[in-house]
Amino acid sequence: MEKESGRVEFRGFPYNPYPIQIDFMEALYRSLDQGGVSLLESPTGTGKTLSIICSALQWVFDQRQKEGLGKRVVSDQNHKGEGQIGSDDEPDWLRNFVVDNDNLSPDKNNKKKLGFKKSDKQKKGLVSGDFKRGDRCGKKENGCFRTKNDGMDLYEEEFLLEDYESEEEGGSSAGKSMTKRKGVAGNSIPSSSDEEEEDGSDEEEKGLKIFFCSRTHSQLSQFIKELNKTAFANEITAVCLGSRKNFCINEEVLKLGNSARINERCLELQRSRKDGLLKIKKLDSEGKIRQTKATCGCPMLRKHKLQRQFKSEASQEVALDIEDLVRLGKSIGTCPYYGSRSMIPRADLLVLPYQSLLLKSSRESLGLKLKDNIVIIDEAHNLADSLIGMYDAKVTALQLDNVHSQIERYFARFCNLLGPGNRRYIQTLMVLTRAFLQTLRNENDSSSVNTCQEEEKFAEAKAILDTSMAINEFLFSLNIDNINLVKLIHYLKESNFVHKISGYGEKIASLQRDFTPNNREGNVEEDSILSSFQAFVSMLISLTNSDGDGRIIISKNQSTYSGKQEGSIKYIMLTGEKIFSEIVNEAHAVILAGGTLQPIEEIRERLFPKISHDKLHFFSCGHIVPSKSILPIAVPCGPSGRSFDFSYGSRSSSIVIEELGLLLCNLATVVPEGIVVFFSSFEYETQVYNLWKTSGILERIMKKKRIFREPRKTNDTELILKEYKETIDGLSLSGEDGAQHRGAVLLAVVGGKISEGINFSDGMGRCIVMVGLPYPNPSDVELMERVKYIDSLGQSNLTKNNQISVTNEYYNGDTQSAFSILRNCRRRGKEYYENLCMKAVNQSIGRAIRHINDYAAILLVDKRYAFDSLQRSLSHPTNKLPQWIKDSFVSASDSYGQVHRLLHQFFKFNQKKHCL
């Protein structure tokens, strides 16, 4: 609803909004009106999430009003948090929100007949040239009929592949089964995105949806909590989607722990449900195979009426987060994962993690329709890297070994029972796995590491074995460029090959374990047969990408002591333009929101370089806190006057580390409550901690403040944070200045869980200390490939052909080569590398200021942060800080005394101010 002045009135906002919140909401509203792509920047702690909710839902409501769907009145009491949207004449889309169970068809009536789909025409055969070898198994058979006399055991029958007819046998399509299975989907490559048909799949889709996605489940839960503060909470249907690991309530599945194993088991149960009865073969007392009947499918999905009950109750509640949906599922006794998915068609707002929206396969499996709808992506500062990272694929030598041995065993057992189509494809797969293994285990490479005895030399030798190449170069080097991978992948999907062969392998392994109970070969949970096949097939799919879209990283690792050589083949996607363009082209508007999105030009070049300027909008607002509530300051030297240089070659110096310890001793005296110190890596934090411990500095700090350390395992983080907070709160409650611990120090790591999603409001973060500039590891081959690719953006084809570009530089993973590449980079490559560092800095220091009455000091400890105002260049690190920090930034002199005086004055002023 708009005022007469033309300004939008956001009546759903639960409080009296600050001016910058109004500005942000109006900018978002205009962006939705205009369509296209918008980048909206609002510092953390400014109520960004609440502003997004109220602006976007207000726009949807207004659009539906304009479309003639009725009017509704928003109470003016909303500013008190008690207002409700709605009246007797509210539109049907709001009034008729309770699910009509009578209109929901039972699951069995909604099932689609699933058979083998026909592929697009493919002129090229499976193999070009002379690869069409004769069959090893003697005569070709036009059909294989399973009889009691074919030599198969009872448990083997279900694993036999159906005859597959390809073009070579006269098939009209690229390949199809001659006998359709009963009710079994053709897709045989399960992943987290491969799903079954859901209840309500034919339900009418409600138009004009909002898709809100963020990186973590905790951020999505926070979004739901903010939504429930608004007047929209009871008037729209919001659905929170997530992973099986977060939703599953089947204890037998959940105890697998590993996400991949949980996904596999869930899909396996769904397939068994569709097949009818799940058959279990066990050995009886006489050693004979006996077949028994087991429960069909997952017990949490047996009763469709419970799924409909879940859908009805969830729709009538206010917006539920993942934890709420899990509790509801447990109380009803049905699966909340599939229950939440069944609500998608009638939802107005879908809240989901990055992967569910950005992966095309996930969108398709969930049935998400972006056409003319709204997509809002929060925490978008690293969107480009997150997006392309989802399309990476990796297969290890162990997995390849597993796949190759399983195929060989299967082929040896069923060869005489398979038709010529199946035999040809299976032989091709064996050729591929053998080629992949040969490139990882080339004996000629072993001599380079046999004489490496010292750890540093071994690490360097190991790095030299990491190489990268383009897709076509990789295929030519293995002499497999004549294989039609597209057609092979089609066969894998249509033939149910992966499940047949992995099922057979798991059954053999199970029987072997029954015979030899003490035999436990390999880690079943981490390296299952199905997981190995999934990794292998994902790699094959990656090899069908365009040659310039990504790179192949070959890592050959060899143990100096055992002589055992292992490694991996990894595909890394380099460009997200094609992937993201599918979302931009479908949606009416795409909103990228974040605390720090600068530099905008990098995001545009990497995700939507071809979008017209009239379809690209940018807005940035300041912070709600006054400038006197923050003290960002550069600290170029310590209390002893020694310079702080945490560059790669100097940071391990004991002198530098001890000086940092002395600084922290001083801070423990002047800073009240909590101090959070960020290091560049866990390894460096450990090195610093150990040196402080031996030098006695740690003991000095602990006389003033208790010390906590971020754990490497994210599962332990919550416990540490709880103890850290209790220490701070205990100080606040006691008010005893003479307490042994006057607060606490938390040692954290940039890029860890604490730096990304934890808020240190009030006493938990009175001072944030950033140690050095956390540049990414230059010896990371994948990183350097991305640097080289980004450096080449914007070059014309003529320039690329006539000039020697850094992209042509050979790189094998050693640090010196990496620095050489960075030195020779043009502007884009260097900026990308620098931006990665400063984005990490901004994320970490933004954890402190969370509301208008908060205050904190921010110390950037390194001489490279300091600058002379007359000599400060555009490339200086501090120019990449958020504007609200730059406006108050202090570049201290060479004297630590000035830093200490500023800190003392800052905390004295704010403590007095907030005590009034």
Side-chain angles (χ1 to χ4, degrees), residues 126-283:
L126 171 66
V127 180
S128 304
D130 300 327
F131 183 70
K132 299 179 183 178
R133 298 180 172 87
D135 297 314
R136 296 185 192 174
C137 305
K139 296 181 180 179
K140 296 183 180 180
E141 302 175 23
N142 292 326
C144 296
F145 299 94
R146 286 168 278 177
T147 67
K148 294 181 181 179
N149 298 321
D150 61 7
M152 283 194 300
D153 292 330
L154 182 62
Y155 73 88
E156 293 179 317
E157 184 176 354
E158 66 178 290
F159 301 116
L160 181 63
L161 287 165
E162 296 172 4
D163 288 349
Y164 189 87
E165 184 181 278
S166 63
E167 282 185 343
E168 286 73 23
E169 286 76 56
S172 59
S173 65
K176 61 181 179 181
S177 168
M178 296 179 67
T179 306
K180 294 184 178 181
R181 300 186 304 282
K182 295 181 181 180
V184 181
N187 190 346
S188 65
I189 310 171
S191 66
S192 59
S193 63
D194 291 331
E195 314 294 352
E196 309 296 329
E197 294 295 324
E198 300 302 320
D199 290 341
S201 59
D202 295 329
E203 188 175 351
E204 182 179 354
E205 186 86 13
K206 182 177 287 187
L208 199 50
K209 295 180 184 293
I210 296 175
F211 297 86
F212 176 90
C213 71
S214 194
R215 295 182 60 192
T216 66
H217 289 300
S218 61
Q219 289 168 340
L220 298 180
S221 295
Q222 181 62 33
F223 179 89
I224 294 294
K225 291 176 183 177
E226 294 295 301
L227 171 63
N228 287 331
K229 295 177 182 178
T230 73
F232 293 102
N234 295 311
E235 309 301 340
I236 62 144
T237 297
V239 180
C240 192
L241 304 177
S243 66
R244 285 182 174 86
K245 184 174 182 180
N246 287 85
F247 269 118
C248 183
I249 59 173
N250 185 335
E251 294 298 332
E252 290 300 312
V253 176
L254 195 58
K255 71 181 182 181
L256 294 173
N258 181 277
S259 296
R261 293 291 290 164
I262 290 174
N263 290 339
E264 291 168 14
R265 182 57 181 155
C266 178
L267 291 170
E268 182 181 329
L269 290 173
Q270 303 321 303
R271 282 188 295 274
S272 66
R273 178 182 65 173
K274 289 178 175 291
D275 282 335
L277 293 177
L278 181 64
K279 299 176 182 178
I280 297 180
K281 294 84 181 179
K282 292 185 177 180
L283 292 175

Side-chain angles (χ1 to χ4, degrees), residues 320-339:
L320 303 178
D321 63 15
I322 292 176
E323 288 74 19
D324 295 328
L325 292 168
V326 168
R327 282 192 289 269
L328 178 61
K330 287 181 177 179
S331 66
I332 296 175
T334 191
C335 177
Y337 174 77
Y338 284 105

